[in-house]
């Protein structure tokens, strides 16, 4: 078993506190708040060790680089929401249920993954703030 280091502890803390899957770059940014001298190579090296010992788990989305979440979060069945504008991924609790009726006749589903794509609450709020306010048209004077 690998010894615990300040860097590894900081990485675990950042991933656990986020409560959502993080990219290595997001982990680096979070860890640098407490361990300013850490580099991306150290992040990747420690992610491998944390994967190997089962502390964290990989979250893979189609066409995306791996993200990481704590294994305790991954032990319960959940899905993910990918915000397209900010590229963050969030856990989605719950499941639409059985997918058996989606498989071709005679096929058996062992597991499934569901990813929702759209705009997160933060990005929606930013869009609402940035939206131009419609101008009022001047009213024509009343004629009698």
């Amino acid at each position: 078993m690998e010894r615990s280091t300040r860097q590894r502890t900081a990485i675990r803390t950042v991933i656990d506190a986020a409560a959502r899957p993080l990219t290595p770059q997001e982990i680096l940014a979070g860890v640098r708040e407490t361990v300013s001298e850490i580099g991306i190579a150290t992040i990747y090296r420690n992610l491998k060790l944390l994967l190997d010992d089962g502390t964290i788990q990989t979250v893979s989305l189609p066409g995306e680089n791996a993200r990481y979440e704590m294994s305790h979060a991954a032990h319960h069945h959940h899905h993910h929401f990918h915000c397209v504008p900010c590229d963050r991924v969030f856990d989605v609790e719950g499941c639409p249920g059985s997918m058996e009726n989606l498989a071709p006749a005679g096929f058996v589903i062992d597991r499934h993954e569901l990813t929702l794509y759209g705009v997160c609450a933060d990005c929606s709020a930013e869009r609402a703030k940035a939206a131009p306010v419609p101008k009022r048209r001047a009213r024509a004077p009343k004629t009698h």
Side-chain angles (χ1 to χ4, degrees):
M1 179 171 180
E2 292 287 324
R3 65 184 177 90
S4 183
T5 64
R6 183 171 67 120
Q7 292 92 349
R8 197 164 313 128
T9 299
I11 291 168
R12 276 195 310 265
T13 300
V14 165
I15 295 171
D16 199 29
R20 66 178 186 83
L22 298 175
T23 65
Q25 293 74 20
E26 289 174 315
I27 296 166
L28 176 64
V31 171
R32 280 194 171 157
E33 292 179 15
T34 57
V35 184
S36 60
E37 69 279 2
I38 196 165
I40 194 69
T42 302
I43 296 293
Y44 278 110
R45 188 169 45 255
N46 281 282
L47 287 174
K48 181 181 179 342
L49 293 169
L50 292 169
L51 282 167
D52 290 346
D53 76 9
T55 302
I56 62 173
Q57 179 172 308
T58 303
V59 173
S60 298
L61 302 178
E64 296 286 325
N65 292 325
R67 296 166 195 266
Y68 302 90
E69 67 184 359
M70 297 301 290
S71 289
H72 63 78
H75 285 314
H76 69 280
H77 183 73
H78 67 281
H79 298 287
H80 296 99
F81 181 97
H82 183 190
C83 178
V84 176
C86 70
D87 200 33
R88 292 183 296 172
V89 174
F90 302 88
D91 288 346
V92 174
E93 298 303 321
C95 181
S98 175
M99 303 281 170
E100 294 298 325
N101 59 340
L102 298 176
F107 287 57
V108 177
I109 297 175
D110 291 328
R111 63 186 178 83
H112 69 268
E113 296 177 22
L114 177 66
T115 304
L116 304 172
Y117 295 88
V119 181
C120 70
D122 291 343
C123 289
S124 289
E126 286 298 316
R127 283 184 176 181
K129 280 194 261 181
V133 178
K135 293 181 180 178
R136 288 184 157 183
R137 284 198 253 169
R139 290 187 180 172
K142 290 184 181 180
T143 57
H144 297 273

